[in-house]
Amino acid sequence: MKILSRARNWMKSRQTAQELANLSNETLADIGLTRFDIDNVARGLRTR
């Protein structure tokens, strides 16, 4: 079960990263992000 949980979490992280990557730089700035933040946000690691 742990493997399935990790796989689901990875898939959700990748989907979130892809959706954020599809946003324009201006839209990212409006929500307080840069392109460099995308992976950390997708993994839930953003600390700002």
Side-chain angles (χ1 to χ4, degrees):
M1 285 304 249
K2 195 172 192 177
I3 292 172
L4 289 176
S5 178
R6 285 186 180 192
R8 281 188 203 113
N9 287 341
W10 179 82
M11 289 178 4
K12 286 179 187 178
S13 174
R14 290 291 87 206
Q15 181 180 5
T16 300
Q18 185 62 43
E19 289 176 9
L20 288 170
N22 287 334
L23 297 176
S24 69
N25 289 337
E26 292 79 15
T27 303
L28 287 171
D30 285 346
I31 60 175
L33 299 176
T34 67
R35 297 243 169 240
F36 296 107
D37 296 322
I38 290 175
D39 282 336
N40 287 336
V41 169
R43 291 185 197 136
L45 301 176
R46 186 161 184 250
T47 58
R48 282 192 209 176

